[in-house]
Amino acid sequence: MQPFPTTAAMRSRMYAGRVVGLAVLAAVSVIAPAHAQQFVQQTGTRFPVQAEYTNQSTVVDIDNDGDLDIVWANGQGYSTQGAALAVRVYVNNGAGVFADETSTRATGITGWYRGVEAGDVDRDGDWDLILANDFNKRPQILINNGSGVFADQTSTRLPVTTMSSARAQFGDVDNDGDLDLVFCNNGTTRFGSGQPQLYLNNGAGVFTATSGYLPVGNVGEQMDILFLDIDNDLDLDIMLGTRASSPNQSRLWKNDGTGRYTNIATFPSDFSSYSYDAGDIDGDGDLDLIGINAGSSSTELLLRNNGTGTAWTNISTSITPNPAIDDNDSRFFDIDMDGDLDMVIGSLGARDRIYLNSGLGVFTESTTLMAAVSDATIDVKVADFDNDKRFDIITAQGESGAFQNKIYMNTTGPIDNRAPRVVAMDQVAPATPAAAQSVRANIADDMTSDRGFHDKGVTLNYTVNGGATQTAPMPWSGNNQWRGVVPVQAVGAVVVYWVTATDWSGNLGTGTSKTYTVPTPIDPADLDRNGVVNGADLGLLLGAWGPGSGPADLDRNGEVNGADLGRLLGSWSV
């Protein structure tokens, strides 16, 4: 195993600063509120014994059996390439006990994986995987056969592009109903610089590289990337986290609705981020952000959203304590089921920490909820692994220590009895009657991940002209967003629609309804769109006479001529 690099050049950490940070952490922790230990480490009875360099994980039901499995992104080497390692597939027995079934479910698949994420790329109803590869290697895409067995189909589905990538994410950037891909890209080395990459899906899970969709220019030391909707306009924006400071600081990019992004210049500068997580910390309906190690002197950077994503307030002093130590990842979740998002932070070389939210986005550490274990956490996830309706915690161990990933079971906390909330939903405004209408919804629950919350079904419900309720599935489409389609309806139909969502604990949430009416088709010959074809339209056609395309070129042959005149006269209003 590669030893943990201790030089300041490797981790940009000053030893003295870390000692001070740990001292502050110890001093503040003694005044934390008292709680019984809620999260009990049960690694020895629930996880296989391992000794592999893990970088990241994803939690997903790979075999559709109703429990959550784990896929680990493994690969040895911090700044220098080590040994290729297998992507590890841990299968849940339903009670939160895991078996390593890598040899039969991801046979022979090895690499230098920094990231793994799940998404249904071919819309066949199961979860496929994307693997972000380091050391100038090609990413890999694994296709699920429906029973949780994966085949590497990189050669037929991904562009032939190598990169040093720390993370990849799925999201439908252009609202066409399929999952696209975005990658961190540091060029030829992990700590170099490169142009982040966006791949578009053709609908069948085959991806094409884009040019000009993302802001142009290399960005140094990219550590994290995630989709999120910063302004609830139902388009997926992008947060790019970097380990470098200005001019290579982290970026926030806004989607114009077609999958083309522009930089938000007002986003605050950060310093040395390893990850970003999004969640509504103050209950105002928008996504706020935490950047791990992104504050000054390797502290956390907590940012409050103004609701439009154009102004972010630094409220890092709302985290107590906020020590200057080597933290690597975080997740928001409601530990005590009081209606606000609390937080767990994973640390390398120090103990992982749990913070309770006051309800206003003010976080105070509780030192008794979780055992004080100093290890090498570089990734953390929360999920209900034993189906007892309580959120548990797993940590990925890499860079140093025994390389044994860990699981902490929530043994005494309250059960999840809070339903998901529909935060935003598209207002359908049909311009073409003979078309299906897509509906996207942003949905919040009591946990966060890069795939939003773990759901057991999101449904688009609708009625037509007051009739019986009909339903359509809403597949996941990126972070906390799901998308469904109302089929084609007749002219004049009044459609009422709403979204229902069930979380992993079985809580059912119902959103408010909206309505649209299918319009009467507009005659193409009604050039002034006033509802009648008359002399005014004839004047417009004659004014456009000759070569050229435009509304008056009714037969779309590149010329306004007698054929178009005939079509207009044939539509003349009586």
Side-chain angles (χ1 to χ4, degrees), residues 36 68 80 114 173 182 184 187 191 199 207 263 269 349 377 485 542 564:
L68 292 170
T80 302
R114 295 292 180 193
V173 303
V182 69
C184 291
F191 299 113
Y199 293 172
F207 294 85
N263 186 56
S269 293
T377 297
V485 176
L542 294 176
D564 303 300

Side-chain angles (χ1 to χ4, degrees), residues 206-355:
V206 178
F207 294 85
T208 303
T210 62
S211 177
Y213 279 68
L214 301 180
V216 176
N218 290 353
V219 182
E221 300 187 56
Q222 303 160 38
M223 295 288 112
D224 196 16
I225 197 164
L226 70 152
F227 287 113
L228 72 166
D229 185 1
I230 58 172
D231 49 6
N232 280 325
D233 65 352
L234 285 308
D235 301 320
L236 290 174
D237 309 302
I238 292 175
M239 180 69 221
L240 176 67
T242 76
R243 201 184 77 130
S245 56
S246 179
N248 286 295
Q249 72 272 11
S250 300
R251 265 80 160 166
L252 182 61
W253 292 337
K254 179 170 173 53
N255 191 339
D256 70 356
T258 68
R260 291 170 171 80
Y261 290 84
T262 55
N263 186 56
I264 296 179
T266 56
F267 188 74
S269 293
D270 61 358
F271 292 91
S272 185
S273 174
Y274 282 100
S275 73
Y276 270 88
D277 190 24
D280 182 6
I281 64 172
D282 49 8
D284 62 355
D286 56 43
L287 292 177
D288 309 296
L289 286 166
I290 185 168
I292 296 301
N293 273 182
S296 61
S297 302
S298 299
T299 58
E300 267 60 276
L301 177 65
L302 188 63
L303 298 174
R304 175 176 285 140
N305 189 347
N306 71 342
T308 65
T310 57
W312 299 80
T313 304
N314 185 340
I315 57 168
S316 303
T317 56
S318 296
I319 302 174
T320 305
N322 190 355
I325 58 178
D326 196 357
D327 296 330
N328 279 257
D329 197 22
S330 66
R331 283 294 175 262
F332 293 116
F333 68 121
D334 192 351
I335 294 169
D336 44 13
M337 287 299 141
D338 62 350
D340 54 48
L341 290 176
D342 309 300
M343 178 169 58
V344 59
I345 294 177
S347 187
L348 195 158
R351 57 183 172 80
D352 302 330
R353 308 189 302 281
I354 287 179
Y355 292 81

